[in-house]
Amino acid sequence: MNKKVTGIIAYLAPIGWLIAYLAGDKEGAKFHLNQSLVVWIAAIVLEVCGVLLGFIPIIGGIVRWALSIIIMVFWILGLVYACQDKEQELPVLGSIKILK
């Protein structure tokens, strides 16, 4: 897979990230592999926090809904940047580097 396809597949699902990492152009798409990994980890962490906040009546549900929307926006932005073959950092999460 070339750099662009690897970046796109990394955003499709956590299993897509694994496939992109193992079978794709790791060096060329390292930026998008890192960005999508950060988005997937943030989604998992925020989902766990959202479940805990869900026990708080009304406010917990609103916060959980808002966090889900924010993660979805980051995911869409990352996917759009990968489709355009841009290496533009995501807001807030973009500065986190997991893959070196």
Side-chain angles (χ1 to χ4, degrees):
M1 288 186 283
N2 65 18
K3 173 184 168 186
K4 185 175 181 178
V5 173
T6 302
I8 292 169
I9 289 175
Y11 284 101
L12 294 182
I15 192 74
W17 184 90
L18 188 60
I19 291 168
Y21 184 77
L22 295 175
D25 179 13
K26 278 187 256 189
E27 290 305 312
K30 187 178 283 188
F31 178 82
H32 286 294
L33 284 168
N34 184 70
Q35 294 282 292
S36 64
L37 181 61
V38 169
V39 169
W40 290 119
I41 290 173
I44 292 167
V45 169
L46 290 179
E47 185 61 30
V48 170
C49 292
V51 167
L52 297 175
L53 288 171
F55 292 112
I56 302 170
I58 302 172
I59 301 296
I62 293 170
V63 170
R64 185 176 184 186
W65 178 80
L67 292 175
S68 297
I69 296 296
I70 291 168
I71 287 297
M72 187 171 63
V73 168
F74 288 159
W75 176 79
I76 291 170
L77 277 174
L79 185 60
V80 168
Y81 294 152
C83 289
Q84 294 174 347
D85 209 14
K86 287 184 182 177
E87 290 191 0
Q88 186 169 346
E89 289 186 351
L90 297 171
V92 182
L93 300 177
S95 61
I96 300 171
K97 304 289 183 235
I98 295 175
L99 299 176
K100 305 254 181 208

